[in-house]
Amino acid sequence: MMRKKKIYLLLFVVSLVFHTSCDDFLTQSDPSSFTRDNYFVSPEHAESAVKSIYADLRSVRGGGFGGATWSMLEFATGLAGTELGQATSSLIIRDLENDSDNAYGSTYWWSHYRGIANANLAIENIPDIQMNEDQKNQLLGEARFLRAYYYYFLVRIFGDVPLILEPIDLTSEQLEPQRSSVAEVYNVIVEDLIWAETQSGLPYYGTDGRVTLGAVQSLLASVYLTMAGYPLELGEEYYRLSRDKAAEVINSNSYWLFDNYADLKNEETENTGEHIFMTQFDASIANHDGLQVFIIPYNQGISVYSSETGGIFARREFVESYEEGDLRAEEKQFYFREFTRASDRDTPYDMGSYYLYKWFDDEAHLTTGVSGMNWPLLRYAEVLLIFAEAENEVENGPTPEAYQAVNLIRERAELPALSQLDQNSFREAVWKEKWHELSYENKTWFDMVRLRKGFNSNTGEFEDFVGHQFVYGPVLTERELLFPIPTSEIRNNKNLTQNPGY
């Protein structure tokens, strides 16, 4: 799994403490004094142990001159470009020349397994702590959700992965674990989420950034949809499970679409409304500046930040694939190509490419030079699209409810409502809405793999994944359905095998 020296330290060094502001981060003092015998003895320890699990939600969502781990899943779609020549990890994925030494894959691996390790410690030790049972169950529900979330990323990125469900030390039999099958990993993901849903007593909705029952059901809907498709291909039963779980979220009336796209990145609306679950950042303690310097043009002087890396931009062909009149593709909605320079705020100029305005923190770039913008992990728009897709599969064609769900998305985009479509036409219309609505949110590549489809930006059609050609030349092969197991992990664990083609 991870390097042996890293395995199952008590990782409370970066403990996340939530208050009403939901972005407060504190660091535990003197972590070297913690042991499993003296730590898990009080309710405060249980709280701290669970809060530590959240920390690795941030580990892959930074950026800078060395690249940005989250962009791995965007360059793999063929819909992203970069101006950052030294970001080798980005370039080899963009060009479909990826290998097992890629730093992005290694970061996903070790950070997610570190989160799982912290979850395992909490799940094993919290039940023995004398504390309020309702509080205990809620903490265990959070831990199980987060463990499921980390495994959900790992199994989709790497396929068969080691399945570790208890703390490990240097004497453990699972110190060098074998890979478990995709089906086994999904079974554990579902088991954890069902426990969190039915046993934890989590609140349905909350604004403090912590796991809620709404987040649990939303993630379950996504998991079931993926299980219905590739690689498990469990079909109608799981489309039905996905549809029903998404319907529960919709019918709870706890979430809603924001009226405008600006609220998707408004600090005042974080953890509310459309945002079901987010990675928490804070400008003064755990900032998100790496994201900001990564998404802006390379050294064009538009920002008060001293670094402008041009790390990622949206392919022109993709932005121009939006329907005519789609508000999302208009200037400074999801994308932007005009801005002023810091030296002249009166004169906009064309920067030559489409950059990601949905992640752009205006105040940080124009004034403060520091960003606390959260990253959305689950939002209501995705739940509506999951419901629409699954309902169409279960009912062998679109129902009024399916139309209503997808048309809410289109109405906000100022597009005409869909109507009178057959099953296949509606299916592809929903896929297109997912590509356009959830763009550059680490969703598209996962959809490509579960559907075995790629989107041709020039024709607006969906094509088979294997053989799909990116607009700049490279062609997807079966190899690209998974990322490689990191070289360092293969070397440290004789029981790990590499994915085909790497």
Side-chain angles (χ1 to χ4, degrees):
M1 203 177 90
M2 297 167 287
R3 290 183 177 88
K4 296 178 185 177
K5 291 182 180 179
K6 294 183 180 177
I7 294 179
Y8 301 103
L9 300 175
L10 291 177
L11 296 169
F12 305 120
V13 181
V14 195
S15 181
L16 172 57
V17 179
F18 297 85
H19 299 294
T20 55
S21 69
C22 63
D23 281 337
D24 298 321
F25 296 80
L26 297 178
T27 301
Q28 292 276 351
S29 60
D30 193 18
S32 62
S33 66
F34 297 154
T35 70
R36 288 174 62 185
D37 292 331
N38 70 20
Y39 191 79
F40 290 97
V41 296
S42 73
E44 291 76 17
H45 293 163
E47 280 277 352
S48 182
V50 169
K51 289 166 184 172
S52 74
I53 310 169
Y54 287 84
D56 279 298
L57 294 175
R58 300 195 306 275
S59 295
V60 299
R61 295 179 174 88
F65 274 105
T69 300
W70 66 271
S71 68
M72 179 180 91
L73 299 177
E74 301 305 330
F75 290 113
T77 67
L79 302 177
T82 183
E83 300 164 326
L84 185 56
Q86 61 264 52
T88 303
S89 293
S90 297
L91 296 173
I92 62 176
I93 294 172
R94 181 199 64 182
D95 298 336
L96 301 184
E97 297 173 352
N98 194 22
D99 60 43
S100 60
D101 293 323
N102 192 314
Y104 293 166
S106 295
T107 302
Y108 268 108
W109 184 281
W110 65 255
S111 66
H112 284 48
Y113 270 116
R114 184 170 61 186
I116 289 165
N118 279 344
N120 288 340
L121 284 167
I123 292 166
E124 177 168 286
N125 289 283
I126 288 175
D128 294 331
I129 298 176
Q130 293 187 0
M131 59 186 296
N132 178 276
E133 289 298 314
D134 290 340
Q135 181 189 17
K136 178 186 293 186
N137 286 334
Q138 287 192 15
L139 291 173
L140 288 170
E142 290 177 68
R144 284 180 174 264
F145 171 93
L146 291 167
R147 182 169 70 177
Y149 187 88
Y150 289 128
Y151 269 126
Y152 189 36
F153 260 69
L154 289 171
V155 74
R156 290 180 295 170
I157 291 172
F158 299 109
D160 297 348
V161 292
L163 189 57
I164 311 298
L165 301 177
E166 59 186 26
I168 290 179
D169 57 32
L170 294 177
T171 65
S172 298
E173 292 182 1
Q174 283 195 296
L175 190 59
E176 294 182 328
Q178 296 181 349
R179 300 172 72 176
S180 297
S181 71
V182 168
E184 290 174 304
V185 178
Y186 272 105
N187 287 341
V188 167
I189 291 169
V190 170
E191 181 181 326
D192 272 347
L193 292 176
I194 289 177
W195 194 99
E197 180 185 28
T198 61
Q199 304 296 317
S200 68
L202 286 166
Y204 202 90
Y205 175 85
T207 60
D208 60 2
R210 297 179 73 153
V211 176
T212 62
L213 183 56
V216 174
Q217 291 184 339
S218 298
L219 187 57
L220 260 175
S222 175
V223 169
Y224 286 143
L225 189 70
T226 300
M227 295 175 75
Y230 292 97
L232 295 180
E233 296 184 274
L234 297 179
E236 182 178 344
E237 177 186 356
Y238 280 78
Y239 280 121
R240 188 179 301 277
L241 288 168
S242 177
R243 186 271 310 268
D244 292 348
K245 202 54 60 182
E248 289 186 56
V249 178
I250 294 168
N251 293 334
S252 74
N253 295 316
S254 297
Y255 306 98
W256 59 91
L257 293 180
F258 293 131
D259 292 334
N260 58 74
Y261 298 119
D263 280 342
L264 289 173
K265 59 192 184 89
N266 183 348
E267 186 175 350
E268 299 301 317
T269 59
E270 290 179 344
N271 305 314
T272 66
E274 189 164 346
H275 292 307
I276 297 174
F277 188 57
M278 309 184 80
T279 300
Q280 307 296 304
F281 289 89
D282 181 83
S284 60
I285 305 171
N287 67 55
H288 211 177
D289 293 345
L291 171 68
Q292 296 305 317
V293 302
F294 189 72
I295 64 169
I296 56 179
Y298 181 73
N299 286 348
Q300 293 200 34
I302 71 168
S303 173
V304 299
Y305 282 106
S306 59
S307 297
E308 297 180 330
T309 75
I312 190 170
F313 61 85
R315 289 279 172 187
R316 173 186 58 81
E317 294 87 352
F318 177 69
V319 177
E320 294 178 358
S321 74
Y322 284 70
E323 291 178 47
E324 184 177 356
D326 193 324
L327 182 62
R328 293 168 294 194
E330 297 296 321
E331 178 70 14
K332 292 185 177 61
Q333 297 296 327
F334 278 10
Y335 312 100
F336 72 113
R337 61 179 295 156
E338 292 185 353
F339 214 76
T340 60
R341 286 192 167 100
S343 59
D344 178 11
R345 288 303 184 198
D346 296 323
T347 308
Y349 81 105
D350 191 325
M351 298 176 295
S353 295
Y354 289 99
Y355 296 91
L356 307 184
Y357 199 68
K358 66 160 54 176
W359 297 127
F360 189 87
D361 187 331
D362 293 77
E363 183 178 6
H365 287 286
L366 294 172
T367 308
T368 65
V370 62
S371 175
M373 180 184 292
N374 286 354
W375 178 289
L377 300 176
L378 294 167
R379 59 184 179 97
Y380 187 57
E382 181 180 6
V383 174
L384 290 171
L385 293 168
I386 288 172
F387 174 83
E389 180 179 349
E391 171 82 346
N392 183 55
E393 299 302 329
V394 171
E395 301 299 336
N396 297 312
T399 62
E401 292 77 14
Y403 277 119
Q404 181 181 25
V406 70
N407 284 334
L408 284 171
I409 306 292
R410 292 178 61 83
E411 179 182 357
R412 181 170 63 175
E414 299 183 359
L415 292 173
L418 299 177
S419 64
Q420 298 182 324
L421 300 178
D422 61 24
Q423 183 181 23
N424 188 63
S425 297
F426 184 85
R427 177 188 293 130
E428 294 200 2
V430 172
W431 292 350
K432 190 175 294 186
E433 287 302 322
K434 291 196 78 175
W435 257 249
H436 286 156
E437 176 67 26
L438 304 176
S439 60
Y440 308 99
E441 295 184 35
N442 284 178
K443 304 290 182 179
T444 302
W445 183 78
F446 290 134
D447 277 333
M448 290 173 65
V449 171
R450 77 172 175 87
L451 297 170
R452 296 293 195 265
K453 294 292 183 182
F455 179 66
N456 187 317
S457 299
N458 288 324
T459 66
E461 302 295 328
F462 287 91
E463 304 168 343
D464 289 343
F465 183 100
V466 176
H468 171 62
Q469 184 173 24
F470 294 166
V471 293
Y472 51 93
V475 177
L476 289 170
T477 68
E478 191 170 359
R479 185 187 87 142
E480 280 77 46
L481 291 168
L482 294 172
F483 285 88
I485 306 296
T487 299
S488 58
E489 306 304 327
I490 297 287
R491 289 174 178 168
N492 287 334
N493 181 356
K494 65 181 185 295
N495 293 319
L496 280 183
T497 57
Q498 187 54 272
N499 282 328
Y502 294 103

